Amino acid sequence: MAAIFAFTCSCCDQVHEGSPSFGFAEPAPYTRLTQEEQSRMAELSDDLCVIHHPEGTQYFVRAILEVPIHGVEEPFLWGVWVSASASSFQRYLDSYDQPQQDKVFFGWLSNHIGLYPTTQSRPADVWIQDDGTRPRVRLHRSDDGVDTDALVIDQHEGISIARAQELAERALHG
Ligand SMILES: [Zn+2]
């Protein structure tokens, strides 16, 4: 197994080294707020986001969605946000101080990844990590066992080095 993913980019001719990693600084529902709403209703840090709506509060957690690359140790990484219920959010905060018995909570993927367009919401299991790293997202497979969402398929089945390179080039250079 190659420890390091590296390729010569067909867009810029540079060698890009290390497993590709692309992240979002905020969940999409935060991005959709006006600046005035962001400062009045919302709190955002590197890892947490809370939006206070009159009808209720939304909680989001920054997490990592891993897509395995065949033959390479390190996966392709997407830094994404997931929603959390109030109690899951609290349990995640508590995990900063002590390991939680119940390490998994349900969340909705809360970013739109341009390389993986979809019109559907993406449900996921979110796994809290004991080592203090960001939680890992495991997308749900479809109930009928026939996945059509390329992101779900890529995460569960892994991608070839060639596909990883193609995705990385498109993510890097549009
Ligand atoms: Zn490049």
Side-chain angles (χ1 to χ4, degrees), residues 6-167:
F7 64 91
T8 304
C9 185
S10 69
C11 299
C12 69
D13 275 337
Q14 306 277 323
V15 175
H16 296 303
E17 254 184 348
S19 280
S21 176
F22 301 98
F24 296 86
E26 53 199 49
Y30 181 91
T31 312
R32 283 196 291 268
L33 299 175
T34 65
Q35 245 178 9
E36 185 274 325
E37 289 170 327
Q38 287 175 351
S39 55
R40 178 167 51 84
M41 303 163 49
E43 301 154 53
L44 176 71
S45 71
D46 287 345
D47 291 288
L48 306 169
C49 180
V50 179
I51 304 175
H52 305 279
H53 298 279
E55 64 274 18
T57 302
Q58 286 181 303
Y59 301 90
F60 302 95
V61 168
R62 173 87 188 260
I64 296 171
L65 192 160
E66 297 180 338
V67 174
I69 305 171
H70 298 153
V72 181
E73 252 169 69
E74 293 293 316
F76 200 119
L77 299 177
W78 293 99
V80 294
W81 292 78
V82 290
S83 66
S85 68
S87 62
S88 301
F89 189 77
Q90 187 56 53
R91 183 149 49 90
Y92 175 58
L93 294 183
D94 291 344
S95 78
Y96 287 2
D97 297 322
Q98 64 181 93
Q100 298 297 294
Q101 291 275 310
D102 188 2
K103 297 189 193 309
V104 61
F105 64 87
F106 175 84
W108 295 99
L109 195 61
S110 302
N111 293 108
H112 303 288
I113 300 176
L115 297 181
Y116 289 104
T118 183
T119 55
Q120 308 283 316
S121 296
R122 288 165 163 148
D125 290 337
V126 184
W127 289 85
I128 297 169
Q129 305 294 302
D130 282 341
D131 61 5
T133 60
R134 286 176 169 142
R136 299 302 197 278
V137 178
R138 194 86 179 143
L139 295 170
H140 288 191
R141 308 203 76 157
S142 70
D143 292 331
D144 60 9
V146 184
D147 290 306
T148 53
D149 183 340
L151 184 58
V152 174
I153 296 169
D154 280 2
Q155 179 173 47
H156 286 272
E157 297 181 5
I159 57 177
S160 66
I161 288 178
R163 177 156 170 78
Q165 176 172 345
E166 183 211 319
L167 289 170

